[in-house]
Amino acid sequence: MADVYKGLTVKLGVDTSSLSSALRKARSEVSGVATDLRKVERALKLDPGNVKLLAQQQKDYQRQIESTKKQLDLLRQAEKQMEDIDAFTPEQEAQWTKLQSDIVMTEQKLKGYQQALTDSIVKQGAATSLLGKLGSGIESFGSRVQGFGRGMEAVGNGLARTLTPAVIGVGAASVAAAVQIDTSLTNVKKTVDGTDEQYQKLKASAIEFSKTNAVSASQILDIQALGAQLGFAIDELDEFGQVVSGLDIATNMGAEQAATEMAQFANITKMSHGEIRNYGSAIVGLGNSFATTESDISSMAMRIAAAGTQVHMSQADILGLATALASMGVEAEAGGTAISTIMAQIDKDIALAGEAIAGASDMTQKEIDKVTGSLEIWASTAGMTAREFSDAWKADPVQALSALLSNMEAATAEGGNMSVMLQELGIDSIRQTDVMKRLAGNSQFVADAVAKANEEWDANAALGKEVENRNESLAAKFEMLKNRAVAIAEQFGGPLADSLLDVIDAAEPLIKMISDGAKQFSEMSKSEQQAVLKAVALSAAIGPLLTVVG
């Protein structure tokens, strides 16, 4: 496989290395860790509270985090290096697009490892928490006075088997839910400025959305954080999160790809952030209507967005043309560059010819004849005069391109030679001729795709309908049920976590008293020991009562 990052270098201490080599070295540092993690996770399924296994899991996650941070640092070094380039070559454009995609995916991996580490720490904390210590202390106390009554041991064992694990389980789940959502909200705070009221509003909206859609609140907040990184304001993040979540649910795109490509498409085409739902609906509608996927449409649209915008195509027109190209099996990287070059050449020939005809150019007569001749070839191939083709291109470049392709198809049907026509137009590279032959052989298909794109853009309904359909599946309903449980747990988790921090400090004397209790008990007189056991018997009666109440 060709090295997309060929030529990009980064600093490793005092040495300079290629980006690809440095990334491979960073990844090799955690070779085998993923396998170790899977083994630990399988073991934890059999023994969820094993402190040693949890400690090993945390070490593995920490190694993954360190490696991922190194990879992210290397990618950002390369990004900074490329930001100093004034104009990209086609190869550098491909590098930049790949670099942005890898940065986003690496950031998401880092967040995932950090969240997994947090979850593991919470589970370990639950296993060694105050309630665990308290249950063990009571059990120990009971066993050490067994000479005076087996009932004491039963009290300790009963609490350790029933009340303590139940309370720990519920408490740990609630705290974990609160930690996960709070961590994602913190990521939003890191990426965009806002008031506490605005942040809490985003959190509440994410939780509510998760109750009726198969996506978790923490995922929505992570998407919002990504949206902030990609230039969306805090008041736009709620809509951004819902649209990207919808694309994640309803299409074959992941949230990272959907978010990144949508935001970059908006930046390139100057699309209003208020139109992102139109964009999502257009892509979903096109994916449902043509022989391609939403992911391929989005990738192709990214490749032709700059050229399409340059010739004044609308966002819907660009998506329609991208759909036609993707449906014909044209690859985004090669085909997108080819059609972009052709559109840019047509636009340039029309502009130069216009200047020459108006006398607004200092070109020589030979140069004037050349540019006007180029325009006349484009126009005659489209079955128009130079003026008609120029006006048509300026008014609606997609329709003008469609007319060009349609006339080429008709000429071929009448015995004309497509290769000769393309050569006359100056189209001679293998990629450009391949794209034009595919398009010219299916000119009506191009027109239909563009018309459908504009229809779906204006209707702005396909995304919502597709999400509703997916949410009707059994798997989605279970996911929403889990989200509702998490929403309830989150309400208790935050206050519970704060309370536990206060309780642990306050209860240390109690734990010490229980551990010292056996020694003090053995030094008591027989009558004093009997009095204590009567008090313990009363305490033991609380166990069944708590079960009934709980």
Side-chain angles (χ1 to χ4, degrees):
M1 182 182 290
D3 182 5
V4 178
Y5 289 141
K6 184 177 181 181
L8 288 179
T9 60
V10 291
K11 296 286 289 183
L12 291 175
V14 295
D15 299 322
T16 300
S17 171
S18 71
L19 175 59
S20 297
S21 176
L23 288 172
R24 283 195 297 271
K25 182 178 179 182
R27 290 167 186 149
S28 68
E29 293 176 357
V30 288
S31 176
V33 173
T35 302
D36 292 342
L37 274 171
R38 285 193 292 271
K39 291 179 180 178
V40 170
E41 286 167 2
R42 285 196 294 269
L44 282 170
K45 287 181 180 179
L46 301 174
D47 188 5
N50 190 304
V51 177
K52 290 184 179 179
L53 287 174
L54 289 169
Q56 180 59 47
Q57 184 185 54
Q58 289 160 30
K59 288 181 182 177
D60 290 339
Y61 279 135
Q62 286 167 349
R63 289 181 62 192
Q64 290 281 32
I65 288 169
E66 288 304 313
S67 172
T68 307
K69 284 181 177 179
K70 287 182 182 178
Q71 294 172 47
L72 187 57
D73 179 64
L74 293 170
L75 291 168
R76 283 175 173 162
Q77 278 191 53
E79 179 186 38
K80 187 174 181 181
Q81 180 186 139
M82 292 197 72
E83 285 174 348
D84 296 331
I85 300 174
D86 293 330
F88 287 166
T89 64
E91 291 76 14
Q92 288 170 330
E93 286 182 2
Q95 288 180 336
W96 179 259
T97 301
K98 179 74 164 59
L99 191 60
Q100 296 304 306
S101 175
D102 284 351
I103 287 174
V104 171
M105 287 190 290
T106 305
E107 287 174 338
Q108 292 303 312
K109 284 182 182 178
L110 179 59
K111 291 176 185 176
Y113 291 138
Q114 290 171 332
Q115 185 59 55
L117 177 61
T118 299
D119 293 344
S120 181
I121 292 171
V122 168
K123 291 176 183 177
Q124 187 181 39
T128 58
S129 67
L130 165 66
L131 292 175
K133 293 178 182 179
L134 187 58
S136 298
I138 292 175
E139 183 176 6
S140 174
F141 182 41
S143 64
R144 294 173 71 174
V145 296
Q146 57 184 335
F148 285 92
R150 298 286 179 180
M152 187 62 179
E153 184 177 11
V155 172
N157 287 335
L159 286 173
R161 284 195 308 269
T162 57
L163 179 60
T164 301
V167 173
I168 289 175
V170 174
S174 298
V175 171
V179 167
Q180 189 172 26
I181 292 176
D182 184 70
T183 300
S184 297
L185 183 62
T186 300
N187 290 333
V188 176
K189 293 177 180 179
K190 289 178 181 177
T191 54
V192 65
D193 292 331
T195 65
D196 186 63
E197 182 181 357
Q198 288 174 312
Y199 294 134
Q200 292 305 317
K201 186 177 179 181
L202 288 176
K203 172 183 168 183
S205 178
I207 292 173
E208 284 303 311
F209 187 77
S210 72
K211 293 178 183 178
T212 55
N213 293 272
V215 57
S216 70
S218 60
Q219 285 177 303
I220 297 169
L221 289 169
D222 286 339
I223 291 169
Q224 290 176 356
L226 180 57
Q229 290 177 337
L230 293 169
F232 281 72
I234 190 166
D235 292 334
E236 299 168 334
L237 293 181
D238 186 24
E239 177 74 353
F240 181 88
Q242 292 187 19
V243 170
V244 173
S245 297
L247 289 170
D248 184 31
I249 294 168
T251 73
N252 68 325
M253 288 192 287
E256 294 84 359
Q257 180 192 359
T260 303
E261 293 186 352
M262 181 175 73
Q264 292 176 348
F265 183 85
N267 291 338
I268 294 169
T269 65
K270 304 297 188 291
M271 180 179 78
S272 164
H273 288 177
E275 294 179 306
I276 58 174
R277 194 173 291 273
N278 301 76
Y279 166 92
S281 290
I283 283 188
V284 170
L286 290 165
N288 289 341
S289 304
F290 292 88
T292 186
T293 66
E294 295 86 359
S295 177
D296 288 341
I297 294 171
S298 178
S299 296
M300 181 64 76
M302 280 292 299
R303 298 299 301 178
I304 67 174
T309 302
Q310 179 186 341
V311 301
H312 307 296
M313 286 185 183
S314 69
Q315 288 87 3
D317 289 343
I318 293 171
L319 292 174
L321 180 57
T323 300
L325 290 164
S327 297
M328 294 177 196
V330 177
E331 294 183 0
E333 185 173 343
T337 300
I339 192 65
S340 294
T341 303
I342 293 169
M343 291 192 298
Q345 187 61 51
I346 296 173
D347 198 58
K348 178 183 176 181
D349 288 346
I350 290 174
L352 290 176
E355 291 177 5
I357 294 170
S361 172
D362 56 359
M363 290 185 288
T364 64
Q365 187 59 48
K366 184 178 180 180
E367 291 172 333
I368 292 173
D369 292 342
K370 181 180 179 180
V371 296
T372 55
S374 295
L375 174 58
E376 287 172 359
I377 294 173
W378 287 113
S380 62
T381 305
M384 303 179 189
T385 66
R387 170 63 65 185
E388 289 171 341
F389 185 72
S390 177
D391 291 343
W393 183 264
K394 292 175 182 177
D396 193 337
V398 173
Q399 289 301 320
L401 180 61
S402 183
L404 175 71
L405 297 171
S406 178
N407 214 52
M408 291 175 72
E409 184 176 17
T412 303
E414 294 174 2
N417 187 291
M418 179 72 72
S419 297
V420 172
M421 283 187 280
L422 292 173
Q423 187 175 15
E424 290 175 347
L425 292 169
I427 299 173
D428 53 12
S429 79
I430 294 175
R431 289 177 177 176
Q432 291 178 18
T433 55
D434 176 62
V435 169
M436 286 299 287
K437 284 178 179 179
R438 296 192 197 202
L439 292 175
N442 298 275
S443 58
Q444 186 56 46
F445 188 80
V446 176
D448 291 344
V450 171
K452 183 65 174 177
N454 281 276
E455 176 189 333
E456 294 292 353
W457 184 283
D458 293 337
N460 193 20
L463 177 61
K465 289 179 181 177
E466 190 70 15
V467 170
E468 288 177 7
N469 290 339
R470 296 297 177 93
N471 283 338
E472 287 300 314
S473 69
L474 186 61
K477 289 179 178 178
F478 274 115
E479 184 69 21
M480 287 184 278
L481 180 62
K482 185 183 79 171
N483 291 342
R484 290 170 188 168
V486 168
I488 294 171
E490 191 276 336
Q491 291 179 338
F492 294 99
L496 178 58
D498 293 336
S499 299
L500 282 174
L501 292 174
D502 294 335
V503 168
I504 288 174
D505 290 337
E508 280 301 328
L510 174 60
I511 296 173
K512 186 176 185 302
M513 180 188 72
I514 291 173
S515 64
D516 294 341
K519 182 176 183 297
Q520 296 175 4
F521 184 87
S522 63
E523 295 173 352
M524 292 180 184
S525 65
K526 185 174 181 179
S527 60
E528 289 173 331
Q529 289 172 343
Q530 289 175 342
V532 169
L533 289 177
K534 289 178 182 179
V536 170
L538 176 61
S539 298
I542 297 175
L545 178 60
L546 287 176
T547 302
V548 174
V549 174

